[in-house]
Amino acid sequence: DGVWRGAFGRGPAAAGQGGAVMLEIQDLRVRFWNRDRDAVAGVSLSIGEGEVVGLVGESGSGKTVTAMSVAGLLPRKQCGYSGKIFLDGAELLHADRAELRKIQGRDIGVVFQEPQSSLDPLMRIGPQVEEVLRVHTDLGREERRRLAVEAMAAVELAEPEAVYEKYPHQLSGGMLQRAMIAAAVIAKPKLLILDEPTTALDVTIQAQILELLKKLNRESGVSMLFISHDLNVVRKLCGRVAVMQKGQLVEEGEAQEVFRHPKHPYSQRLIAA
């Protein structure tokens, strides 16, 4: 636990549902030029400090486009967009690329569904975990290495010193996902975006990753936006859930309440399925 707090920062006192607003999305609209309808159609959503919010819906509902908008990964030349996105008071949606680069990795960490496609196969794991530190800090090579090994130990990768030297093809899917999480949180971000991070893993490894994310939230206080179509996973991890259908938020509330008493017909069908 001492390693965890040393590596990742703010400690359990910072965690807690319903703190100050960390992320606020206001009337977000995104339409790709090659589509005939909005991918995101007027979404408004907030996440408090230390809060874990699930964004659920079937494929094509707009979940990932919403996440890309928050992370600054929206391909702006391919779409029209409007609205506002604030992270701890800083507006992101209309920020220029130079400003976004200062925020990406440092204030926002992202974990994708397929670690194999997110990691460079020709680069050792250690330098990829510490890349955010290389970009955003003046730390020397030895200090970056120390923090990377510490981060990998904190996400419960066995023999982190050895893993530091390995290449992605030498690790299992579960180990790669842990390495991705270490890379996403090494700079102590304010927000962690997780886009279907457990979908490609078997059930046992999936459960371990969920426990790890709970521990990370509990001990570091990082806010999380967890995107998934798997309602069981969302129910285990998230305190609040928002349901998306065809680019719109159709229901939002405390996770247990939405699962027990879904109000919107789409939520009812999703849960029944």
Side-chain angles (χ1 to χ4, degrees), residues 44-114:
S44 296
L45 181 69
S46 64
I47 299 178
E49 285 185 2
E51 190 175 25
V52 182
V53 174
L55 191 57
V56 304
E58 61 199 2
S59 297
S61 60
K63 307 184 304 294
T64 294
V65 177
T66 300
M68 287 166 62
S69 304
V70 173
L73 299 174
L74 199 63
R76 293 179 173 185
K77 292 179 180 176
Q78 298 173 27
C79 62
Y81 55 90
S82 65
K84 291 182 178 178
I85 299 174
F86 295 97
L87 180 71
D88 209 12
E91 209 282 317
L92 305 181
L93 187 62
H94 302 282
D96 62 38
R97 287 295 181 194
E99 204 57 39
L100 277 176
R101 276 193 290 273
K102 292 178 189 173
I103 290 168
Q104 288 165 330
R106 186 194 68 190
D107 293 335
I108 300 176
V110 183
V111 180
F112 294 106
Q113 178 176 345
E114 293 283 353

Side-chain angles (χ1 to χ4, degrees), residues 63-268:
K63 307 184 304 294
T64 294
V65 177
T66 300
M68 287 166 62
S69 304
V70 173
L73 299 174
L74 199 63
R76 293 179 173 185
K77 292 179 180 176
Q78 298 173 27
C79 62
Y81 55 90
S82 65
K84 291 182 178 178
I85 299 174
F86 295 97
L87 180 71
D88 209 12
E91 209 282 317
L92 305 181
L93 187 62
H94 302 282
D96 62 38
R97 287 295 181 194
E99 204 57 39
L100 277 176
R101 276 193 290 273
K102 292 178 189 173
I103 290 168
Q104 288 165 330
R106 186 194 68 190
D107 293 335
I108 300 176
V110 183
V111 180
F112 294 106
Q113 178 176 345
E114 293 283 353
Q116 291 90 339
S117 61
S118 304
L119 293 167
D120 185 338
L122 303 178
M123 194 174 171
R124 296 180 195 271
I125 293 292
Q128 297 194 66
V129 169
E130 68 188 44
E131 186 174 9
V132 171
L133 299 179
R134 186 177 55 76
V135 172
H136 291 291
T137 74
D138 298 322
L139 296 173
R141 189 167 65 180
E142 285 306 308
E143 181 65 5
R144 292 199 307 266
R145 181 190 175 103
R146 183 186 71 77
L147 289 171
V149 169
E150 202 172 274
M152 290 190 287
V155 298
E156 297 166 8
L157 271 167
E159 301 179 10
E161 290 273 7
V163 172
Y164 185 98
E165 302 294 343
K166 291 183 185 291
Y167 289 93
H169 74 270
Q170 295 175 292
L171 302 186
S172 69
M175 292 173 76
L176 285 173
Q177 200 59 289
R178 288 175 189 274
M180 281 285 295
I181 293 169
V185 299
I186 193 169
K188 306 175 188 173
K190 298 170 180 175
L191 176 70
L192 193 57
I193 298 174
L194 303 122
D195 190 359
E196 303 272 11
T198 61
T199 300
L201 306 174
D202 69 45
V203 175
T204 307
I205 304 300
Q206 188 180 82
Q208 292 172 6
I209 296 293
L210 288 178
E211 285 305 312
L212 174 63
L213 292 172
K214 284 182 189 175
K215 177 180 174 182
L216 169 59
N217 170 252
R218 188 172 63 244
E219 296 185 1
S220 78
V222 65
S223 304
M224 296 184 188
L225 177 61
F226 187 90
I227 292 146
S228 183
H229 66 272
D230 188 331
L231 298 182
N232 282 327
V233 168
V234 170
R235 191 171 194 168
K236 289 172 186 168
L237 180 68
C238 303
R240 197 154 54 86
V241 65
V243 182
M244 282 193 81
Q245 182 191 28
K246 295 180 180 176
Q248 296 182 316
L249 278 189
V250 295
E251 185 160 356
E252 180 194 343
E254 295 299 314
Q256 296 306 322
E257 183 62 24
V258 171
F259 281 106
R260 285 198 195 103
H261 308 292
K263 294 181 175 64
H264 193 275
Y266 177 72
S267 304
Q268 293 165 3

